[in-house]
mmCIF file with all atom_site columns, all heavy atoms in Angstrom:
data_model
loop_
_atom_site.group_PDB
_atom_site.id
_atom_site.type_symbol
_atom_site.label_atom_id
_atom_site.label_alt_id
_atom_site.label_comp_id
_atom_site.label_asym_id
_atom_site.label_entity_id
_atom_site.label_seq_id
_atom_site.pdbx_PDB_ins_code
_atom_site.Cartn_x
_atom_site.Cartn_y
_atom_site.Cartn_z
_atom_site.occupancy
_atom_site.B_iso_or_equiv
_atom_site.pdbx_formal_charge
_atom_site.auth_seq_id
_atom_site.auth_comp_id
_atom_site.auth_asym_id
_atom_site.auth_atom_id
_atom_site.pdbx_PDB_model_num
ATOM 1   N N   . ASN W 1 1  ? 84.356 142.971 84.990 1.00 98.00 ? 56 ASN W N   1
ATOM 2   C CA  . ASN W 1 1  ? 85.491 143.129 85.893 1.00 98.00 ? 56 ASN W CA  1
ATOM 3   C C   . ASN W 1 1  ? 85.247 142.452 87.234 1.00 98.00 ? 56 ASN W C   1
ATOM 4   O O   . ASN W 1 1  ? 86.196 141.961 87.867 1.00 98.00 ? 56 ASN W O   1
ATOM 5   C CB  . ASN W 1 1  ? 85.818 144.609 86.071 1.00 98.00 ? 56 ASN W CB  1
ATOM 6   C CG  . ASN W 1 1  ? 86.623 145.145 84.901 1.00 98.00 ? 56 ASN W CG  1
ATOM 7   O OD1 . ASN W 1 1  ? 87.794 144.799 84.736 1.00 98.00 ? 56 ASN W OD1 1
ATOM 8   N ND2 . ASN W 1 1  ? 86.005 145.959 84.068 1.00 98.00 ? 56 ASN W ND2 1
ATOM 9   N N   . LEU W 1 2  ? 84.005 142.380 87.674 1.00 98.00 ? 57 LEU W N   1
ATOM 10  C CA  . LEU W 1 2  ? 83.690 141.571 88.854 1.00 98.00 ? 57 LEU W CA  1
ATOM 11  C C   . LEU W 1 2  ? 83.931 140.095 88.557 1.00 98.00 ? 57 LEU W C   1
ATOM 12  O O   . LEU W 1 2  ? 84.538 139.381 89.361 1.00 98.00 ? 57 LEU W O   1
ATOM 13  C CB  . LEU W 1 2  ? 82.247 141.801 89.281 1.00 98.00 ? 57 LEU W CB  1
ATOM 14  C CG  . LEU W 1 2  ? 81.715 140.863 90.377 1.00 98.00 ? 57 LEU W CG  1
ATOM 15  C CD1 . LEU W 1 2  ? 82.516 141.008 91.658 1.00 98.00 ? 57 LEU W CD1 1
ATOM 16  C CD2 . LEU W 1 2  ? 80.232 141.110 90.632 1.00 98.00 ? 57 LEU W CD2 1
ATOM 17  N N   . VAL W 1 3  ? 83.461 139.631 87.400 1.00 98.00 ? 58 VAL W N   1
ATOM 18  C CA  . VAL W 1 3  ? 83.663 138.224 87.026 1.00 98.00 ? 58 VAL W CA  1
ATOM 19  C C   . VAL W 1 3  ? 85.152 137.908 86.966 1.00 98.00 ? 58 VAL W C   1
ATOM 20  O O   . VAL W 1 3  ? 85.604 136.856 87.448 1.00 98.00 ? 58 VAL W O   1
ATOM 21  C CB  . VAL W 1 3  ? 82.977 137.929 85.680 1.00 98.00 ? 58 VAL W CB  1
ATOM 22  C CG1 . VAL W 1 3  ? 83.344 136.537 85.175 1.00 98.00 ? 58 VAL W CG1 1
ATOM 23  C CG2 . VAL W 1 3  ? 81.456 138.056 85.817 1.00 98.00 ? 58 VAL W CG2 1
ATOM 24  N N   . ARG W 1 4  ? 85.940 138.796 86.377 1.00 97.00 ? 59 ARG W N   1
ATOM 25  C CA  . ARG W 1 4  ? 87.387 138.589 86.323 1.00 97.00 ? 59 ARG W CA  1
ATOM 26  C C   . ARG W 1 4  ? 87.986 138.492 87.720 1.00 97.00 ? 59 ARG W C   1
ATOM 27  O O   . ARG W 1 4  ? 88.914 137.692 87.963 1.00 97.00 ? 59 ARG W O   1
ATOM 28  C CB  . ARG W 1 4  ? 88.050 139.745 85.571 1.00 97.00 ? 59 ARG W CB  1
ATOM 29  C CG  . ARG W 1 4  ? 87.781 139.779 84.077 1.00 97.00 ? 59 ARG W CG  1
ATOM 30  C CD  . ARG W 1 4  ? 88.373 141.028 83.458 1.00 97.00 ? 59 ARG W CD  1
ATOM 31  N NE  . ARG W 1 4  ? 89.819 141.057 83.614 1.00 97.00 ? 59 ARG W NE  1
ATOM 32  C CZ  . ARG W 1 4  ? 90.574 142.145 83.443 1.00 97.00 ? 59 ARG W CZ  1
ATOM 33  N NH1 . ARG W 1 4  ? 89.999 143.303 83.137 1.00 97.00 ? 59 ARG W NH1 1
ATOM 34  N NH2 . ARG W 1 4  ? 91.881 142.090 83.586 1.00 97.00 ? 59 ARG W NH2 1
ATOM 35  N N   . THR W 1 5  ? 87.478 139.278 88.650 1.00 98.00 ? 60 THR W N   1
ATOM 36  C CA  . THR W 1 5  ? 87.986 139.248 90.022 1.00 98.00 ? 60 THR W CA  1
ATOM 37  C C   . THR W 1 5  ? 87.680 137.919 90.693 1.00 98.00 ? 60 THR W C   1
ATOM 38  O O   . THR W 1 5  ? 88.528 137.338 91.377 1.00 98.00 ? 60 THR W O   1
ATOM 39  C CB  . THR W 1 5  ? 87.380 140.413 90.823 1.00 98.00 ? 60 THR W CB  1
ATOM 40  O OG1 . THR W 1 5  ? 87.735 141.644 90.196 1.00 98.00 ? 60 THR W OG1 1
ATOM 41  C CG2 . THR W 1 5  ? 87.872 140.421 92.255 1.00 98.00 ? 60 THR W CG2 1
ATOM 42  N N   . LEU W 1 6  ? 86.458 137.417 90.490 1.00 98.00 ? 61 LEU W N   1
ATOM 43  C CA  . LEU W 1 6  ? 86.090 136.127 91.077 1.00 98.00 ? 61 LEU W CA  1
ATOM 44  C C   . LEU W 1 6  ? 86.923 134.997 90.481 1.00 98.00 ? 61 LEU W C   1
ATOM 45  O O   . LEU W 1 6  ? 87.376 134.090 91.198 1.00 98.00 ? 61 LEU W O   1
ATOM 46  C CB  . LEU W 1 6  ? 84.598 135.870 90.852 1.00 98.00 ? 61 LEU W CB  1
ATOM 47  C CG  . LEU W 1 6  ? 83.634 136.902 91.467 1.00 98.00 ? 61 LEU W CG  1
ATOM 48  C CD1 . LEU W 1 6  ? 82.191 136.555 91.129 1.00 98.00 ? 61 LEU W CD1 1
ATOM 49  C CD2 . LEU W 1 6  ? 83.833 137.007 92.975 1.00 98.00 ? 61 LEU W CD2 1
ATOM 50  N N   . ILE W 1 7  ? 87.152 135.054 89.181 1.00 98.00 ? 62 ILE W N   1
ATOM 51  C CA  . ILE W 1 7  ? 87.980 134.035 88.527 1.00 98.00 ? 62 ILE W CA  1
ATOM 52  C C   . ILE W 1 7  ? 89.412 134.112 89.037 1.00 98.00 ? 62 ILE W C   1
ATOM 53  O O   . ILE W 1 7  ? 90.055 133.085 89.289 1.00 98.00 ? 62 ILE W O   1
ATOM 54  C CB  . ILE W 1 7  ? 87.911 134.196 86.997 1.00 98.00 ? 62 ILE W CB  1
ATOM 55  C CG1 . ILE W 1 7  ? 86.513 133.835 86.491 1.00 98.00 ? 62 ILE W CG1 1
ATOM 56  C CG2 . ILE W 1 7  ? 88.962 133.339 86.306 1.00 98.00 ? 62 ILE W CG2 1
ATOM 57  C CD1 . ILE W 1 7  ? 86.298 134.121 85.016 1.00 98.00 ? 62 ILE W CD1 1
ATOM 58  N N   . ALA W 1 8  ? 89.929 135.333 89.228 1.00 98.00 ? 63 ALA W N   1
ATOM 59  C CA  . ALA W 1 8  ? 91.283 135.499 89.758 1.00 98.00 ? 63 ALA W CA  1
ATOM 60  C C   . ALA W 1 8  ? 91.407 134.880 91.136 1.00 98.00 ? 63 ALA W C   1
ATOM 61  O O   . ALA W 1 8  ? 92.476 134.376 91.513 1.00 98.00 ? 63 ALA W O   1
ATOM 62  C CB  . ALA W 1 8  ? 91.655 136.982 89.812 1.00 98.00 ? 63 ALA W CB  1
ATOM 63  N N   . GLY W 1 9  ? 90.296 134.898 91.904 1.00 98.00 ? 64 GLY W N   1
ATOM 64  C CA  . GLY W 1 9  ? 90.301 134.295 93.228 1.00 98.00 ? 64 GLY W CA  1
ATOM 65  C C   . GLY W 1 9  ? 90.136 132.793 93.221 1.00 98.00 ? 64 GLY W C   1
ATOM 66  O O   . GLY W 1 9  ? 90.128 132.169 94.283 1.00 98.00 ? 64 GLY W O   1
ATOM 67  N N   . GLY W 1 10 ? 89.978 132.196 92.021 1.00 98.00 ? 65 GLY W N   1
ATOM 68  C CA  . GLY W 1 10 ? 89.886 130.745 91.906 1.00 98.00 ? 65 GLY W CA  1
ATOM 69  C C   . GLY W 1 10 ? 88.496 130.209 91.674 1.00 98.00 ? 65 GLY W C   1
ATOM 70  O O   . GLY W 1 10 ? 88.307 128.995 91.573 1.00 98.00 ? 65 GLY W O   1
ATOM 71  N N   . ALA W 1 11 ? 87.484 131.085 91.562 1.00 98.00 ? 66 ALA W N   1
ATOM 72  C CA  . ALA W 1 11 ? 86.102 130.621 91.433 1.00 98.00 ? 66 ALA W CA  1
ATOM 73  C C   . ALA W 1 11 ? 85.807 130.139 90.017 1.00 98.00 ? 66 ALA W C   1
ATOM 74  O O   . ALA W 1 11 ? 86.315 130.692 89.039 1.00 98.00 ? 66 ALA W O   1
ATOM 75  C CB  . ALA W 1 11 ? 85.133 131.738 91.797 1.00 98.00 ? 66 ALA W CB  1
ATOM 76  N N   . GLU W 1 12 ? 84.968 129.100 89.924 1.00 97.00 ? 67 GLU W N   1
ATOM 77  C CA  . GLU W 1 12 ? 84.378 128.685 88.652 1.00 97.00 ? 67 GLU W CA  1
ATOM 78  C C   . GLU W 1 12 ? 83.116 129.517 88.482 1.00 97.00 ? 67 GLU W C   1
ATOM 79  O O   . GLU W 1 12 ? 82.149 129.341 89.219 1.00 97.00 ? 67 GLU W O   1
ATOM 80  C CB  . GLU W 1 12 ? 84.048 127.199 88.682 1.00 97.00 ? 67 GLU W CB  1
ATOM 81  C CG  . GLU W 1 12 ? 85.254 126.300 88.931 1.00 97.00 ? 67 GLU W CG  1
ATOM 82  C CD  . GLU W 1 12 ? 84.851 124.853 89.158 1.00 97.00 ? 67 GLU W CD  1
ATOM 83  O OE1 . GLU W 1 12 ? 83.673 124.508 88.888 1.00 97.00 ? 67 GLU W OE1 1
ATOM 84  O OE2 . GLU W 1 12 ? 85.700 124.072 89.623 1.00 97.00 ? 67 GLU W OE2 1
ATOM 85  N N   . THR W 1 13 ? 83.110 130.438 87.519 1.00 97.00 ? 68 THR W N   1
ATOM 86  C CA  . THR W 1 13 ? 82.099 131.488 87.488 1.00 97.00 ? 68 THR W CA  1
ATOM 87  C C   . THR W 1 13 ? 81.209 131.387 86.252 1.00 97.00 ? 68 THR W C   1
ATOM 88  O O   . THR W 1 13 ? 81.701 131.278 85.127 1.00 97.00 ? 68 THR W O   1
ATOM 89  C CB  . THR W 1 13 ? 82.758 132.876 87.523 1.00 97.00 ? 68 THR W CB  1
ATOM 90  O OG1 . THR W 1 13 ? 83.646 132.935 88.644 1.00 97.00 ? 68 THR W OG1 1
ATOM 91  C CG2 . THR W 1 13 ? 81.720 133.974 87.660 1.00 97.00 ? 68 THR W CG2 1
ATOM 92  N N   . ALA W 1 14 ? 79.889 131.439 86.483 1.00 97.00 ? 69 ALA W N   1
ATOM 93  C CA  . ALA W 1 14 ? 78.897 131.461 85.403 1.00 97.00 ? 69 ALA W CA  1
ATOM 94  C C   . ALA W 1 14 ? 78.032 132.708 85.565 1.00 97.00 ? 69 ALA W C   1
ATOM 95  O O   . ALA W 1 14 ? 77.752 133.141 86.691 1.00 97.00 ? 69 ALA W O   1
ATOM 96  C CB  . ALA W 1 14 ? 78.030 130.207 85.447 1.00 97.00 ? 69 ALA W CB  1
ATOM 97  N N   . LEU W 1 15 ? 77.600 133.263 84.424 1.00 97.00 ? 70 LEU W N   1
ATOM 98  C CA  . LEU W 1 15 ? 76.861 134.526 84.438 1.00 97.00 ? 70 LEU W CA  1
ATOM 99  C C   . LEU W 1 15 ? 75.690 134.453 83.484 1.00 97.00 ? 70 LEU W C   1
ATOM 100 O O   . LEU W 1 15 ? 75.819 133.952 82.364 1.00 97.00 ? 70 LEU W O   1
ATOM 101 C CB  . LEU W 1 15 ? 77.797 135.669 84.009 1.00 97.00 ? 70 LEU W CB  1
ATOM 102 C CG  . LEU W 1 15 ? 77.191 137.058 83.775 1.00 97.00 ? 70 LEU W CG  1
ATOM 103 C CD1 . LEU W 1 15 ? 76.715 137.666 85.100 1.00 97.00 ? 70 LEU W CD1 1
ATOM 104 C CD2 . LEU W 1 15 ? 78.218 137.976 83.108 1.00 97.00 ? 70 LEU W CD2 1
ATOM 105 N N   . CYS W 1 16 ? 74.522 134.950 83.914 1.00 96.00 ? 71 CYS W N   1
ATOM 106 C CA  . CYS W 1 16 ? 73.399 135.180 83.007 1.00 96.00 ? 71 CYS W CA  1
ATOM 107 C C   . CYS W 1 16 ? 72.911 136.606 83.205 1.00 96.00 ? 71 CYS W C   1
ATOM 108 O O   . CYS W 1 16 ? 73.339 137.298 84.129 1.00 96.00 ? 71 CYS W O   1
ATOM 109 C CB  . CYS W 1 16 ? 72.277 134.161 83.203 1.00 96.00 ? 71 CYS W CB  1
ATOM 110 S SG  . CYS W 1 16 ? 71.312 134.358 84.718 1.00 96.00 ? 71 CYS W SG  1
ATOM 111 N N   . ALA W 1 17 ? 72.018 137.051 82.321 1.00 93.00 ? 72 ALA W N   1
ATOM 112 C CA  . ALA W 1 17 ? 71.621 138.459 82.297 1.00 93.00 ? 72 ALA W CA  1
ATOM 113 C C   . ALA W 1 17 ? 70.426 138.718 83.199 1.00 93.00 ? 72 ALA W C   1
ATOM 114 O O   . ALA W 1 17 ? 69.425 138.000 83.139 1.00 93.00 ? 72 ALA W O   1
ATOM 115 C CB  . ALA W 1 17 ? 71.286 138.886 80.870 1.00 93.00 ? 72 ALA W CB  1
ATOM 116 N N   . ALA W 1 18 ? 70.519 139.780 84.006 1.00 90.00 ? 73 ALA W N   1
ATOM 117 C CA  . ALA W 1 18 ? 69.384 140.198 84.827 1.00 90.00 ? 73 ALA W CA  1
ATOM 118 C C   . ALA W 1 18 ? 68.381 141.019 84.030 1.00 90.00 ? 73 ALA W C   1
ATOM 119 O O   . ALA W 1 18 ? 67.233 141.144 84.430 1.00 90.00 ? 73 ALA W O   1
ATOM 120 C CB  . ALA W 1 18 ? 69.870 141.005 86.028 1.00 90.00 ? 73 ALA W CB  1
ATOM 121 N N   . ASN W 1 19 ? 68.825 141.595 82.919 1.00 81.00 ? 74 ASN W N   1
ATOM 122 C CA  . ASN W 1 19 ? 67.952 142.409 82.074 1.00 81.00 ? 74 ASN W CA  1
ATOM 123 C C   . ASN W 1 19 ? 68.424 142.269 80.637 1.00 81.00 ? 74 ASN W C   1
ATOM 124 O O   . ASN W 1 19 ? 69.568 142.609 80.325 1.00 81.00 ? 74 ASN W O   1
ATOM 125 C CB  . ASN W 1 19 ? 67.999 143.876 82.517 1.00 81.00 ? 74 ASN W CB  1
ATOM 126 C CG  . ASN W 1 19 ? 66.999 144.752 81.778 1.00 81.00 ? 74 ASN W CG  1
ATOM 127 O OD1 . ASN W 1 19 ? 66.842 144.657 80.572 1.00 81.00 ? 74 ASN W OD1 1
ATOM 128 N ND2 . ASN W 1 19 ? 66.328 145.624 82.523 1.00 81.00 ? 74 ASN W ND2 1
ATOM 129 N N   . PRO W 1 20 ? 67.575 141.777 79.727 1.00 80.00 ? 75 PRO W N   1
ATOM 130 C CA  . PRO W 1 20 ? 68.024 141.541 78.351 1.00 80.00 ? 75 PRO W CA  1
ATOM 131 C C   . PRO W 1 20 ? 68.402 142.806 77.599 1.00 80.00 ? 75 PRO W C   1
ATOM 132 O O   . PRO W 1 20 ? 69.174 142.744 76.630 1.00 80.00 ? 75 PRO W O   1
ATOM 133 C CB  . PRO W 1 20 ? 66.821 140.854 77.701 1.00 80.00 ? 75 PRO W CB  1
ATOM 134 C CG  . PRO W 1 20 ? 65.644 141.250 78.536 1.00 80.00 ? 75 PRO W CG  1
ATOM 135 C CD  . PRO W 1 20 ? 66.176 141.358 79.929 1.00 80.00 ? 75 PRO W CD  1
ATOM 136 N N   . LEU W 1 21 ? 67.885 143.972 78.022 1.00 76.00 ? 76 LEU W N   1
ATOM 137 C CA  . LEU W 1 21 ? 68.195 145.208 77.310 1.00 76.00 ? 76 LEU W CA  1
ATOM 138 C C   . LEU W 1 21 ? 69.498 145.846 77.778 1.00 76.00 ? 76 LEU W C   1
ATOM 139 O O   . LEU W 1 21 ? 69.962 146.809 77.166 1.00 76.00 ? 76 LEU W O   1
ATOM 140 C CB  . LEU W 1 21 ? 67.044 146.200 77.468 1.00 76.00 ? 76 LEU W CB  1
ATOM 141 C CG  . LEU W 1 21 ? 65.724 145.781 76.816 1.00 76.00 ? 76 LEU W CG  1
ATOM 142 C CD1 . LEU W 1 21 ? 64.674 146.867 76.991 1.00 76.00 ? 76 LEU W CD1 1
ATOM 143 C CD2 . LEU W 1 21 ? 65.908 145.473 75.335 1.00 76.00 ? 76 LEU W CD2 1
ATOM 144 N N   . SER W 1 22 ? 70.086 145.324 78.844 1.00 80.00 ? 77 SER W N   1
ATOM 145 C CA  . SER W 1 22 ? 71.367 145.867 79.298 1.00 80.00 ? 77 SER W CA  1
ATOM 146 C C   . SER W 1 22 ? 72.541 145.005 78.853 1.00 80.00 ? 77 SER W C   1
ATOM 147 O O   . SER W 1 22 ? 73.698 145.385 79.039 1.00 80.00 ? 77 SER W O   1
ATOM 148 C CB  . SER W 1 22 ? 71.376 145.995 80.824 1.00 80.00 ? 77 SER W CB  1
ATOM 149 O OG  . SER W 1 22 ? 71.278 144.728 81.440 1.00 80.00 ? 77 SER W OG  1
ATOM 150 N N   . THR W 1 23 ? 72.266 143.845 78.278 1.00 89.00 ? 78 THR W N   1
ATOM 151 C CA  . THR W 1 23 ? 73.339 142.927 77.890 1.00 89.00 ? 78 THR W CA  1
ATOM 152 C C   . THR W 1 23 ? 74.180 143.498 76.761 1.00 89.00 ? 78 THR W C   1
ATOM 153 O O   . THR W 1 23 ? 73.653 143.957 75.741 1.00 89.00 ? 78 THR W O   1
ATOM 154 C CB  . THR W 1 23 ? 72.758 141.569 77.457 1.00 89.00 ? 78 THR W CB  1
ATOM 155 O OG1 . THR W 1 23 ? 72.108 140.968 78.581 1.00 89.00 ? 78 THR W OG1 1
ATOM 156 C CG2 . THR W 1 23 ? 73.853 140.635 76.954 1.00 89.00 ? 78 THR W CG2 1
ATOM 157 N N   . ARG W 1 24 ? 75.496 143.434 76.929 1.00 91.00 ? 79 ARG W N   1
ATOM 158 C CA  . ARG W 1 24 ? 76.441 143.782 75.877 1.00 91.00 ? 79 ARG W CA  1
ATOM 159 C C   . ARG W 1 24 ? 76.953 142.471 75.280 1.00 91.00 ? 79 ARG W C   1
ATOM 160 O O   . ARG W 1 24 ? 77.686 141.725 75.927 1.00 91.00 ? 79 ARG W O   1
ATOM 161 C CB  . ARG W 1 24 ? 77.604 144.587 76.439 1.00 91.00 ? 79 ARG W CB  1
ATOM 162 C CG  . ARG W 1 24 ? 77.237 145.905 77.071 1.00 91.00 ? 79 ARG W CG  1
ATOM 163 C CD  . ARG W 1 24 ? 76.787 146.948 76.095 1.00 91.00 ? 79 ARG W CD  1
ATOM 164 N NE  . ARG W 1 24 ? 77.625 147.043 74.913 1.00 91.00 ? 79 ARG W NE  1
ATOM 165 C CZ  . ARG W 1 24 ? 77.524 148.017 74.019 1.00 91.00 ? 79 ARG W CZ  1
ATOM 166 N NH1 . ARG W 1 24 ? 76.621 148.977 74.194 1.00 91.00 ? 79 ARG W NH1 1
ATOM 167 N NH2 . ARG W 1 24 ? 78.302 148.037 72.958 1.00 91.00 ? 79 ARG W NH2 1
ATOM 168 N N   . ASP W 1 25 ? 76.557 142.196 74.043 1.00 94.00 ? 80 ASP W N   1
ATOM 169 C CA  . ASP W 1 25 ? 76.965 140.949 73.412 1.00 94.00 ? 80 ASP W CA  1
ATOM 170 C C   . ASP W 1 25 ? 78.477 140.863 73.252 1.00 94.00 ? 80 ASP W C   1
ATOM 171 O O   . ASP W 1 25 ? 79.062 139.771 73.321 1.00 94.00 ? 80 ASP W O   1
ATOM 172 C CB  . ASP W 1 25 ? 76.285 140.805 72.044 1.00 94.00 ? 80 ASP W CB  1
ATOM 173 C CG  . ASP W 1 25 ? 74.802 140.480 72.173 1.00 94.00 ? 80 ASP W CG  1
ATOM 174 O OD1 . ASP W 1 25 ? 74.416 139.830 73.166 1.00 94.00 ? 80 ASP W OD1 1
ATOM 175 O OD2 . ASP W 1 25 ? 74.028 140.874 71.274 1.00 94.00 ? 80 ASP W OD2 1
ATOM 176 N N   . ASP W 1 26 ? 79.132 141.999 73.043 1.00 95.00 ? 81 ASP W N   1
ATOM 177 C CA  . ASP W 1 26 ? 80.590 141.968 72.903 1.00 95.00 ? 81 ASP W CA  1
ATOM 178 C C   . ASP W 1 26 ? 81.264 141.605 74.220 1.00 95.00 ? 81 ASP W C   1
ATOM 179 O O   . ASP W 1 26 ? 82.258 140.862 74.242 1.00 95.00 ? 81 ASP W O   1
ATOM 180 C CB  . ASP W 1 26 ? 81.116 143.296 72.350 1.00 95.00 ? 81 ASP W CB  1
ATOM 181 C CG  . ASP W 1 26 ? 80.656 144.511 73.142 1.00 95.00 ? 81 ASP W CG  1
ATOM 182 O OD1 . ASP W 1 26 ? 79.888 144.359 74.112 1.00 95.00 ? 81 ASP W OD1 1
ATOM 183 O OD2 . ASP W 1 26 ? 81.081 145.632 72.774 1.00 95.00 ? 81 ASP W OD2 1
ATOM 184 N N   . VAL W 1 27 ? 80.714 142.092 75.344 1.00 96.00 ? 82 VAL W N   1
ATOM 185 C CA  . VAL W 1 27 ? 81.265 141.749 76.655 1.00 96.00 ? 82 VAL W CA  1
ATOM 186 C C   . VAL W 1 27 ? 81.069 140.265 76.946 1.00 96.00 ? 82 VAL W C   1
ATOM 187 O O   . VAL W 1 27 ? 81.984 139.589 77.450 1.00 96.00 ? 82 VAL W O   1
ATOM 188 C CB  . VAL W 1 27 ? 80.610 142.613 77.748 1.00 96.00 ? 82 VAL W CB  1
ATOM 189 C CG1 . VAL W 1 27 ? 80.954 142.092 79.138 1.00 96.00 ? 82 VAL W CG1 1
ATOM 190 C CG2 . VAL W 1 27 ? 81.043 144.066 77.606 1.00 96.00 ? 82 VAL W CG2 1
ATOM 191 N N   . ALA W 1 28 ? 79.886 139.741 76.630 1.00 95.00 ? 83 ALA W N   1
ATOM 192 C CA  . ALA W 1 28 ? 79.639 138.312 76.825 1.00 95.00 ? 83 ALA W CA  1
ATOM 193 C C   . ALA W 1 28 ? 80.653 137.480 76.048 1.00 95.00 ? 83 ALA W C   1
ATOM 194 O O   . ALA W 1 28 ? 81.200 136.488 76.558 1.00 95.00 ? 83 ALA W O   1
ATOM 195 C CB  . ALA W 1 28 ? 78.217 137.962 76.401 1.00 95.00 ? 83 ALA W CB  1
#
């Protein structure tokens, strides 16, 4: 939802994981 907010503001947004055990593959 943060990424969606940045995109809504016009940003070109890229994301990587800070912790591999918290990553939700479905969200990615």
Side-chain angles (χ1 to χ4, degrees):
N56 280 290
L57 171 61
V58 172
R59 290 175 62 196
T60 301
L61 300 178
I62 292 173
E67 301 172 12
T68 307
L70 172 68
C71 72
N74 186 316
L76 295 182
S77 64
T78 296
R79 299 290 315 190
D80 287 330
D81 53 358
V82 169

